[in-house]
Amino acid sequence: MADTHTHHHEMHEGEALAAAAQTALERSGEQWTRMRAAVFDALAEFDQPASAYDIAEAVSKAQNRRVAANSVYRILDLFTAANVARRVESENAYLANRHPDCLHDCIFLVCDNCGTTTHLDNDKLANGVRDAARAKGFNPERPVIEVRGLCEKCG
């Protein structure tokens, strides 16, 4: 029997990922500029969560000019609002959202030893957090669920 509580979606890679990100950003009312494309391309190259400073350095190298982290932060804020990127709160770092056409709450498993961050979708768990918040009279806008521990390799 299939797990009906896990969200299934198409994961994008490469040019399809950039196209899906552009569509999601434009759908949110923002423009897909050359600088935003460069920031997204740099972000998508990282296998693990990247800081704005990491991304600014990568874009600076690619463009042979200095790009300020403050500019990257503003773009990352737009990306998270448009579901193009996900912020790993405990790391103050970002991941490209490989399925920006799906809206749901993400769960991150963060290894305290090697830093590996695994993205997990479980709508039953996320909805349970939202329901618990509502039961206390709280209106949840963006649940953040991160589990710290050791990954399979380090554990």
Side-chain angles (χ1 to χ4, degrees), residues 12-26 32 40 100:
H12 301 286
E13 296 292 333
E15 289 181 22
L17 175 60
Q22 179 177 352
T23 298
L25 190 67
E26 290 173 344
W32 187 257
F40 185 80

Side-chain angles (χ1 to χ4, degrees), residues 116-134:
T116 295
T117 301
T118 303
H119 168 232
L120 171 69
D121 295 326
N122 185 309
D123 291 334
K124 181 179 179 183
L125 179 59
N127 289 337
V129 169
R130 286 178 172 277
D131 292 344
R134 285 187 197 101

